[in-house]
Amino acid sequence: QVQLVESGGGLVQAGGSLRLSCAASGRTFSSYVMGWFRQGPGAEREFVAAINWSGGNTYYAASVKGRFTISRDNAKNTVYLQMNDLKPEDTAVYYCAAIKSPDSRWYATKDRYDYWGQGTQVTVSS
């Protein structure tokens, strides 16, 4: 069992930055691939980024590549999402999630994830 708690959301102007954190409980954190998803108003939950166990491999949605960076600290059981050059279309509730599967084909597929946090709101004003 893994429990996930996000923090770091808030209101920021376009062009600004935020760093989201996701703290995980449990001693098996390092065995999970971690992902970030987001859900805007009236939209489906969509993939943002994922990172493998060691942090050596990262994956990004095209819409955030070059602006967002995912990282993890296994000693702290925490995964981060650094978001730079934020745009109004980045406004959403951001969720972190954990997936046990080693198959990177599933990392962008929300239904494949095993555990979810409660989400943190990010609002970008124009």
Side-chain angles (χ1 to χ4, degrees), residues 82-103:
Q82 177 66 44
M83 306 185 294
N84 297 330
D85 189 23
L86 282 160
K87 306 177 187 299
E89 52 264 41
D90 295 318
T91 294
V93 177
Y94 283 71
Y95 299 89
C96 75
I99 181 171
K100 193 72 171 178
S101 171
D103 192 338

Side-chain angles (χ1 to χ4, degrees), residues 2-6 22-23 34-35 45 93-98 115-120:
V2 176
Q3 292 185 324
L4 305 172
V5 180
E6 302 95 335
C22 173
M34 299 300 296
R45 193 171 297 189
V93 177
Y94 283 71
Y95 299 89
C96 75
Y115 300 102
W116 291 86
Q118 83 290 347
T120 186

Side-chain angles (χ1 to χ4, degrees), residues 37 98-101 105-116:
F37 288 74
I99 181 171
K100 193 72 171 178
S101 171
R105 291 178 299 171
W106 306 125
Y107 295 166
T109 305
K110 61 183 186 296
D111 294 340
R112 290 285 181 162
Y113 279 72
D114 302 295
Y115 300 102
W116 291 86

Side-chain angles (χ1 to χ4, degrees), residues 32-36 47 49-59 70-72 79-80 99 107 113:
Y32 284 85
V33 171
M34 299 300 296
W36 286 97
F47 171 75
I51 188 167
N52 74 336
W53 306 274
S54 67
N57 291 319
T58 56
Y59 310 83
I70 188 170
S71 61
R72 68 190 295 164
V79 62
Y80 305 98
I99 181 171
Y107 295 166
Y113 279 72

Side-chain angles (χ1 to χ4, degrees), residues 19 22-26 29-30 72-80:
R19 188 175 83 153
C22 173
S25 66
F29 173 75
S30 61
R72 68 190 295 164
D73 185 338
N74 288 339
K76 295 183 178 180
N77 279 13
T78 302
V79 62
Y80 305 98

